[in-house]
Amino acid sequence: MYIFRLRETDTVRLDIGGKATSLGAMLRMRLPVPDGYVIAAQAIKDGRLCSAAKAELDALIPTLRAKSYAVRSSAVGEDGDTDSFAGAYDTVLDVRPSDIPDAVRKVAQSADNERVGVYAGERGTSAGSTAVVIQEYIPAEYAGVMFTADPVSGSRGVMTGSFVRGAGEKLVSGEGLDGEFRIDSVRYRYTGPAELERYAKRLFGYALKIASDGVPKDIEWCIAGGKAYILQSRPITTLHRNDADRFDINDSLEGELLLSKTNVGEIFLRPVSPVTYGMLMQICRTIAIPLISNVCGQLYLNISGVCSMIMSFGVSREKAFSMIKELAGGIPDNIEIPVYRYDKRELFRAVGDMIGNSFKGKKSKEFSPKALKGRITDVSLSLVEEMKQVRTERGLLDMWKDKCEPFMAGTMSVIMTGLDVSSLFSTREKLEKICGVELADRLLSDCSENGDIESLGTLLAIEDVISGKMSRKDYIRRYGHRHADEMELSMPYPYEDPTFPDNVIAEHIASGISAHGMKEAQEKRRSEAVAEFDAKYPDKKKDMKKLLKKYSAAVYGREMIRSDSLRLFCMIREFLKRAGELTGLGDDVFMLYMEEVIEYLGGDRSCAQYIPERRRIYEEQMKMPNFPSTICGRFTPDEWKASGSPGGYYRFGETTADTDKDVICGIAGSVGQCEGVARVLRNIDDADSIEKGDILVVPAANIGWVKVFPKISALVTDIGAPLSHAVIVARELGLPAVVSCQSASSELHTGDRIRVDGTIGRVYIIGQA
């Protein structure tokens, strides 16, 4: 069989090209797409149908009911993610059923057009085999195109389009147009000719549905008899450049987004492996929040995505950003955050699915959110031990589906419902209004009312092991999963090292520092801040204590949730290691995406072909320098280097530089002042070079750096925010910290004498090495 209904193309295993695939998908979405058929490319040789396909077409034509049809190409590679071949192949319109065979032959033979060869040569690609679409013809009163993102700027906050009166040949041939329009897709607002306005909202709704997969689209449409039709859809190839098969990912080219390394870049200090990236994307899809973007392996927090999600609940752009500014870090004041339309129903649906999926599997009750609360560590460790006993690929696959997936869903549900976001992000602002920035910082410098936070616990507990208050076994169980690369699935956890924790104990004893002593000194300073507040604002004492209590509980809870979430990654890493052992893939398993690992265990080995190229690209990414801490819009490493832009904020076509070379501006992370010698490091592996009293200057600091905090006198980072995990620990230990300096690790050098003012967020260069 060579001829198929368009709406049934999801079951076709022959080559039908990008156009037919897209039309079929839109028909199944119940969009108003003219119905029709596709002749598979295997039916065509040298521009003619094979005898079996010709017989099928002869049998089909008498059953056609429309008066006329459009016959169009659907070549393999046409209307794809990277190449459109727009206008390269012939199209025959208004074809009577009896003339369809001649039109099919003409379209098929157009594969030899000079236009096709020229386009393929210019794009460095090749023309694939050609399928042919036979589709009901719509005699258009208006015909046009519509882009779901601005094809020039990449902004997803606006849709643009143009149209002609009558059929669309004049528009696609470039002869002219009769009107242009724009639609604000965040808060629907049409700007354009009045004659099209009555159809604009309908087209807008269709466009949102078509682009709901996250890929900006170029859509052809027409109006006939007062009804809007969708004729074609393809990715905007100038924006969509990701190649998942090769692991060549650069989300900045997919649209105008504001991206920040704060928080995300502190967790992932180096480029991520394919399996880690794939897992993170799966989590983002599960929770339906566009949190993370990948720029050539380096991960960013998608500020535009988070703000767009918040705005979908009716919050203004300014208010949305103010709500997450402590999470986002030092975004330049003059930057307007690009936003786009976000459907909040996806979030509600995701939460419902997570709760429902946690009840799937053979032991549904064991993995329900209620059953997992307070038991995530125990259940994770139990699954890991069970996994080690699995002896077959099939057995491992069954365990993943029956137990691991429900455990992940239940844990994600616990995490999603356990955060007190309001207290985390509103307390500082409320306190500052009462007592000012400096005193508010001191009041928030200690969050131990509910117990020591997990990020600090790794340091304090090692002293408990040394003193005999905690056993080595208990330390391994509680903190053996915490380290600098704790969410990178290809990197081993400390508990996998047979010398752990003895190696950490030896390092700490050699430092001669008491973390408990530093913590107690900071608690005293915080008590003094509380007493000062009570004396100055006696009528606000109750309000302050209530705020601090809720804030302390929120921070403690957030740190526990972070630790619990890492249990997922421990379980997933153990699954991947076991899959590598059973299949013989070994470490190559980390070059696959999680869904490919599942397919591999099920017997489909086709994904193995991508491993060599992905490893090559991954190893290249590991050699790249740290990209700017904040990016807005298009970014490529080559363009960045050519621009001469510093390592802080980057926007394509712009460069920024601080005119005062002796002052580096950032955000106040932890109050206090300190003068000393800078120690500029790029990697935690170089931490042994730190000397007591150094001021540590790094691109980012996460929990892996906490072990050196007792040796340093202050902390300076390129990225970060007051609520970053390492910054919270710095406050707990009384270390002055200035974060989100954008390019401090590039501007400063080891040996420079600097003064850090963590109260106002400034670093002063006193003398250079």
Side-chain angles (χ1 to χ4, degrees), residues 350-373:
V351 173
D353 288 346
M354 273 189 288
I355 296 173
N357 289 336
S358 66
F359 286 94
K360 291 183 178 179
K362 294 180 180 178
K363 295 184 179 180
S364 59
K365 291 183 179 180
E366 180 182 356
F367 305 115
S368 68
K370 183 178 180 180
L372 284 174
K373 199 165 185 179

PDB file of all heavy atoms in Angstrom, residues 350-373:
ATOM      1  N   ALA A 350      -0.329  19.026  34.611  1.00  0.00           N
ATOM      2  CA  ALA A 350       0.907  18.341  35.008  1.00  0.00           C
ATOM      3  C   ALA A 350       0.842  17.871  36.458  1.00  0.00           C
ATOM      4  O   ALA A 350       1.250  16.755  36.782  1.00  0.00           O
ATOM      5  CB  ALA A 350       2.101  19.270  34.803  1.00  0.00           C
ATOM      6  N   VAL A 351       0.335  18.733  37.334  1.00  0.00           N
ATOM      7  CA  VAL A 351       0.229  18.359  38.752  1.00  0.00           C
ATOM      8  C   VAL A 351      -0.709  17.163  38.906  1.00  0.00           C
ATOM      9  O   VAL A 351      -0.410  16.198  39.632  1.00  0.00           O
ATOM     10  CB  VAL A 351      -0.262  19.547  39.598  1.00  0.00           C
ATOM     11  CG1 VAL A 351      -0.527  19.108  41.030  1.00  0.00           C
ATOM     12  CG2 VAL A 351       0.765  20.678  39.577  1.00  0.00           C
ATOM     13  N   GLY A 352      -1.821  17.201  38.194  1.00  0.00           N
ATOM     14  CA  GLY A 352      -2.757  16.072  38.247  1.00  0.00           C
ATOM     15  C   GLY A 352      -2.132  14.787  37.723  1.00  0.00           C
ATOM     16  O   GLY A 352      -2.309  13.715  38.307  1.00  0.00           O
ATOM     17  N   ASP A 353      -1.372  14.897  36.623  1.00  0.00           N
ATOM     18  CA  ASP A 353      -0.723  13.705  36.055  1.00  0.00           C
ATOM     19  C   ASP A 353       0.321  13.135  37.009  1.00  0.00           C
ATOM     20  O   ASP A 353       0.463  11.911  37.136  1.00  0.00           O
ATOM     21  CB  ASP A 353      -0.058  14.056  34.717  1.00  0.00           C
ATOM     22  CG  ASP A 353      -1.067  14.281  33.605  1.00  0.00           C
ATOM     23  OD1 ASP A 353      -2.243  13.903  33.798  1.00  0.00           O
ATOM     24  OD2 ASP A 353      -0.688  14.834  32.562  1.00  0.00           O
ATOM     25  N   MET A 354       1.076  14.037  37.681  1.00  0.00           N
ATOM     26  CA  MET A 354       2.100  13.553  38.605  1.00  0.00           C
ATOM     27  C   MET A 354       1.465  12.742  39.736  1.00  0.00           C
ATOM     28  O   MET A 354       1.958  11.674  40.108  1.00  0.00           O
ATOM     29  CB  MET A 354       2.880  14.736  39.198  1.00  0.00           C
ATOM     30  CG  MET A 354       4.054  15.181  38.359  1.00  0.00           C
ATOM     31  SD  MET A 354       5.055  16.373  39.233  1.00  0.00           S
ATOM     32  CE  MET A 354       4.018  17.795  39.205  1.00  0.00           C
ATOM     33  N   ILE A 355       0.389  13.273  40.283  1.00  0.00           N
ATOM     34  CA  ILE A 355      -0.283  12.566  41.375  1.00  0.00           C
ATOM     35  C   ILE A 355      -0.848  11.238  40.873  1.00  0.00           C
ATOM     36  O   ILE A 355      -0.701  10.194  41.511  1.00  0.00           O
ATOM     37  CB  ILE A 355      -1.396  13.440  41.977  1.00  0.00           C
ATOM     38  CG1 ILE A 355      -0.780  14.694  42.625  1.00  0.00           C
ATOM     39  CG2 ILE A 355      -2.205  12.659  42.993  1.00  0.00           C
ATOM     40  CD1 ILE A 355      -1.796  15.706  43.091  1.00  0.00           C
ATOM     41  N   GLY A 356      -1.444  11.268  39.663  1.00  0.00           N
ATOM     42  CA  GLY A 356      -2.000  10.035  39.101  1.00  0.00           C
ATOM     43  C   GLY A 356      -0.933   9.007  38.790  1.00  0.00           C
ATOM     44  O   GLY A 356      -1.091   7.818  39.094  1.00  0.00           O
ATOM     45  N   ASN A 357       0.202   9.443  38.212  1.00  0.00           N
ATOM     46  CA  ASN A 357       1.262   8.505  37.839  1.00  0.00           C
ATOM     47  C   ASN A 357       1.930   7.869  39.048  1.00  0.00           C
ATOM     48  O   ASN A 357       2.483   6.776  38.961  1.00  0.00           O
ATOM     49  CB  ASN A 357       2.316   9.208  36.990  1.00  0.00           C
ATOM     50  CG  ASN A 357       1.801   9.545  35.609  1.00  0.00           C
ATOM     51  OD1 ASN A 357       0.863   8.909  35.128  1.00  0.00           O
ATOM     52  ND2 ASN A 357       2.400  10.534  34.968  1.00  0.00           N
ATOM     53  N   SER A 358       1.899   8.590  40.175  1.00  0.00           N
ATOM     54  CA  SER A 358       2.522   8.026  41.376  1.00  0.00           C
ATOM     55  C   SER A 358       1.747   6.813  41.894  1.00  0.00           C
ATOM     56  O   SER A 358       2.257   6.048  42.701  1.00  0.00           O
ATOM     57  CB  SER A 358       2.626   9.093  42.475  1.00  0.00           C
ATOM     58  OG  SER A 358       1.337   9.470  42.920  1.00  0.00           O
ATOM     59  N   PHE A 359       0.517   6.624  41.408  1.00  0.00           N
ATOM     60  CA  PHE A 359      -0.276   5.480  41.828  1.00  0.00           C
ATOM     61  C   PHE A 359      -0.217   4.331  40.822  1.00  0.00           C
ATOM     62  O   PHE A 359      -0.882   3.323  40.979  1.00  0.00           O
ATOM     63  CB  PHE A 359      -1.741   5.886  42.030  1.00  0.00           C
ATOM     64  CG  PHE A 359      -1.949   6.685  43.278  1.00  0.00           C
ATOM     65  CD1 PHE A 359      -1.928   8.072  43.231  1.00  0.00           C
ATOM     66  CD2 PHE A 359      -2.136   6.055  44.501  1.00  0.00           C
ATOM     67  CE1 PHE A 359      -2.118   8.816  44.386  1.00  0.00           C
ATOM     68  CE2 PHE A 359      -2.326   6.801  45.654  1.00  0.00           C
ATOM     69  CZ  PHE A 359      -2.313   8.186  45.597  1.00  0.00           C
ATOM     70  N   LYS A 360       0.605   4.514  39.756  1.00  0.00           N
ATOM     71  CA  LYS A 360       0.758   3.444  38.771  1.00  0.00           C
ATOM     72  C   LYS A 360       1.796   2.443  39.249  1.00  0.00           C
ATOM     73  O   LYS A 360       2.634   2.744  40.081  1.00  0.00           O
ATOM     74  CB  LYS A 360       1.166   4.024  37.419  1.00  0.00           C
ATOM     75  CG  LYS A 360       0.064   4.831  36.747  1.00  0.00           C
ATOM     76  CD  LYS A 360       0.504   5.327  35.389  1.00  0.00           C
ATOM     77  CE  LYS A 360      -0.613   6.090  34.695  1.00  0.00           C
ATOM     78  NZ  LYS A 360      -0.186   6.605  33.379  1.00  0.00           N
ATOM     79  N   GLY A 361       1.788   1.279  38.659  1.00  0.00           N
ATOM     80  CA  GLY A 361       2.777   0.267  39.026  1.00  0.00           C
ATOM     81  C   GLY A 361       2.185  -0.773  39.947  1.00  0.00           C
ATOM     82  O   GLY A 361       1.062  -0.655  40.439  1.00  0.00           O
ATOM     83  N   LYS A 362       2.978  -1.795  40.233  1.00  0.00           N
ATOM     84  CA  LYS A 362       2.488  -2.931  40.999  1.00  0.00           C
ATOM     85  C   LYS A 362       2.308  -2.605  42.474  1.00  0.00           C
ATOM     86  O   LYS A 362       1.597  -3.294  43.191  1.00  0.00           O
ATOM     87  CB  LYS A 362       3.453  -4.107  40.817  1.00  0.00           C
ATOM     88  CG  LYS A 362       3.473  -4.634  39.370  1.00  0.00           C
ATOM     89  CD  LYS A 362       4.429  -5.803  39.223  1.00  0.00           C
ATOM     90  CE  LYS A 362       4.439  -6.329  37.795  1.00  0.00           C
ATOM     91  NZ  LYS A 362       5.401  -7.449  37.610  1.00  0.00           N
ATOM     92  N   LYS A 363       3.043  -1.581  42.964  1.00  0.00           N
ATOM     93  CA  LYS A 363       2.954  -1.231  44.387  1.00  0.00           C
ATOM     94  C   LYS A 363       2.579   0.243  44.504  1.00  0.00           C
ATOM     95  O   LYS A 363       3.333   1.048  45.016  1.00  0.00           O
ATOM     96  CB  LYS A 363       4.277  -1.515  45.084  1.00  0.00           C
ATOM     97  CG  LYS A 363       4.648  -2.999  45.108  1.00  0.00           C
ATOM     98  CD  LYS A 363       5.924  -3.226  45.901  1.00  0.00           C
ATOM     99  CE  LYS A 363       6.287  -4.697  45.964  1.00  0.00           C
ATOM    100  NZ  LYS A 363       7.536  -4.935  46.739  1.00  0.00           N
ATOM    101  N   SER A 364       1.401   0.573  43.982  1.00  0.00           N
ATOM    102  CA  SER A 364       1.017   1.970  43.864  1.00  0.00           C
ATOM    103  C   SER A 364       1.017   2.702  45.191  1.00  0.00           C
ATOM    104  O   SER A 364       1.451   3.845  45.284  1.00  0.00           O
ATOM    105  CB  SER A 364      -0.356   2.083  43.191  1.00  0.00           C
ATOM    106  OG  SER A 364      -1.325   1.382  43.943  1.00  0.00           O
ATOM    107  N   LYS A 365       0.530   2.063  46.246  1.00  0.00           N
ATOM    108  CA  LYS A 365       0.432   2.746  47.528  1.00  0.00           C
ATOM    109  C   LYS A 365       1.802   3.127  48.070  1.00  0.00           C
ATOM    110  O   LYS A 365       1.957   4.121  48.768  1.00  0.00           O
ATOM    111  CB  LYS A 365      -0.312   1.863  48.530  1.00  0.00           C
ATOM    112  CG  LYS A 365      -1.799   1.689  48.222  1.00  0.00           C
ATOM    113  CD  LYS A 365      -2.482   0.854  49.291  1.00  0.00           C
ATOM    114  CE  LYS A 365      -3.965   0.703  48.991  1.00  0.00           C
ATOM    115  NZ  LYS A 365      -4.656  -0.112  50.022  1.00  0.00           N
ATOM    116  N   GLU A 366       2.804   2.331  47.763  1.00  0.00           N
ATOM    117  CA  GLU A 366       4.154   2.571  48.270  1.00  0.00           C
ATOM    118  C   GLU A 366       4.721   3.878  47.737  1.00  0.00           C
ATOM    119  O   GLU A 366       5.543   4.511  48.400  1.00  0.00           O
ATOM    120  CB  GLU A 366       5.065   1.410  47.877  1.00  0.00           C
ATOM    121  CG  GLU A 366       6.505   1.554  48.367  1.00  0.00           C
ATOM    122  CD  GLU A 366       7.385   0.409  47.926  1.00  0.00           C
ATOM    123  OE1 GLU A 366       6.859  -0.549  47.307  1.00  0.00           O
ATOM    124  OE2 GLU A 366       8.598   0.467  48.186  1.00  0.00           O
ATOM    125  N   PHE A 367       4.275   4.297  46.537  1.00  0.00           N
ATOM    126  CA  PHE A 367       4.864   5.463  45.902  1.00  0.00           C
ATOM    127  C   PHE A 367       3.915   6.653  45.835  1.00  0.00           C
ATOM    128  O   PHE A 367       4.171   7.610  45.116  1.00  0.00           O
ATOM    129  CB  PHE A 367       5.349   5.094  44.491  1.00  0.00           C
ATOM    130  CG  PHE A 367       6.287   3.921  44.479  1.00  0.00           C
ATOM    131  CD1 PHE A 367       5.931   2.737  43.858  1.00  0.00           C
ATOM    132  CD2 PHE A 367       7.515   3.998  45.113  1.00  0.00           C
ATOM    133  CE1 PHE A 367       6.793   1.645  43.851  1.00  0.00           C
ATOM    134  CE2 PHE A 367       8.383   2.915  45.111  1.00  0.00           C
ATOM    135  CZ  PHE A 367       8.029   1.736  44.490  1.00  0.00           C
ATOM    136  N   SER A 368       2.827   6.615  46.555  1.00  0.00           N
ATOM    137  CA  SER A 368       1.931   7.763  46.585  1.00  0.00           C
ATOM    138  C   SER A 368       2.607   8.908  47.340  1.00  0.00           C
ATOM    139  O   SER A 368       3.471   8.673  48.191  1.00  0.00           O
ATOM    140  CB  SER A 368       0.626   7.395  47.285  1.00  0.00           C
ATOM    141  OG  SER A 368       0.859   7.173  48.667  1.00  0.00           O
ATOM    142  N   PRO A 369       2.251  10.154  47.034  1.00  0.00           N
ATOM    143  CA  PRO A 369       2.853  11.292  47.742  1.00  0.00           C
ATOM    144  C   PRO A 369       2.722  11.179  49.256  1.00  0.00           C
ATOM    145  O   PRO A 369       3.653  11.496  49.999  1.00  0.00           O
ATOM    146  CB  PRO A 369       2.075  12.486  47.190  1.00  0.00           C
ATOM    147  CG  PRO A 369       1.619  12.055  45.838  1.00  0.00           C
ATOM    148  CD  PRO A 369       1.336  10.593  45.965  1.00  0.00           C
ATOM    149  N   LYS A 370       1.581  10.680  49.721  1.00  0.00           N
ATOM    150  CA  LYS A 370       1.375  10.553  51.166  1.00  0.00           C
ATOM    151  C   LYS A 370       2.339   9.546  51.770  1.00  0.00           C
ATOM    152  O   LYS A 370       2.923   9.763  52.841  1.00  0.00           O
ATOM    153  CB  LYS A 370      -0.072  10.141  51.438  1.00  0.00           C
ATOM    154  CG  LYS A 370      -0.416  10.059  52.918  1.00  0.00           C
ATOM    155  CD  LYS A 370      -1.889   9.692  53.108  1.00  0.00           C
ATOM    156  CE  LYS A 370      -2.242   9.601  54.590  1.00  0.00           C
ATOM    157  NZ  LYS A 370      -3.675   9.238  54.776  1.00  0.00           N
ATOM    158  N   ALA A 371       2.538   8.422  51.068  1.00  0.00           N
ATOM    159  CA  ALA A 371       3.429   7.379  51.580  1.00  0.00           C
ATOM    160  C   ALA A 371       4.894   7.802  51.523  1.00  0.00           C
ATOM    161  O   ALA A 371       5.703   7.370  52.345  1.00  0.00           O
ATOM    162  CB  ALA A 371       3.223   6.091  50.786  1.00  0.00           C
ATOM    163  N   LEU A 372       5.252   8.644  50.549  1.00  0.00           N
ATOM    164  CA  LEU A 372       6.652   9.031  50.373  1.00  0.00           C
ATOM    165  C   LEU A 372       7.081  10.166  51.292  1.00  0.00           C
ATOM    166  O   LEU A 372       8.282  10.350  51.518  1.00  0.00           O
ATOM    167  CB  LEU A 372       6.898   9.443  48.923  1.00  0.00           C
ATOM    168  CG  LEU A 372       6.999   8.317  47.894  1.00  0.00           C
ATOM    169  CD1 LEU A 372       7.107   8.892  46.490  1.00  0.00           C
ATOM    170  CD2 LEU A 372       8.186   7.405  48.186  1.00  0.00           C
ATOM    171  N   LYS A 373       6.136  10.919  51.812  1.00  0.00           N
ATOM    172  CA  LYS A 373       6.492  12.075  52.627  1.00  0.00           C
ATOM    173  C   LYS A 373       7.322  11.647  53.835  1.00  0.00           C
ATOM    174  O   LYS A 373       6.896  10.858  54.660  1.00  0.00           O
ATOM    175  CB  LYS A 373       5.233  12.810  53.086  1.00  0.00           C
ATOM    176  CG  LYS A 373       5.499  14.238  53.540  1.00  0.00           C
ATOM    177  CD  LYS A 373       4.217  15.032  53.627  1.00  0.00           C
ATOM    178  CE  LYS A 373       4.489  16.490  53.951  1.00  0.00           C
ATOM    179  NZ  LYS A 373       3.260  17.284  54.023  1.00  0.00           N
TER     180      LYS A 373
END
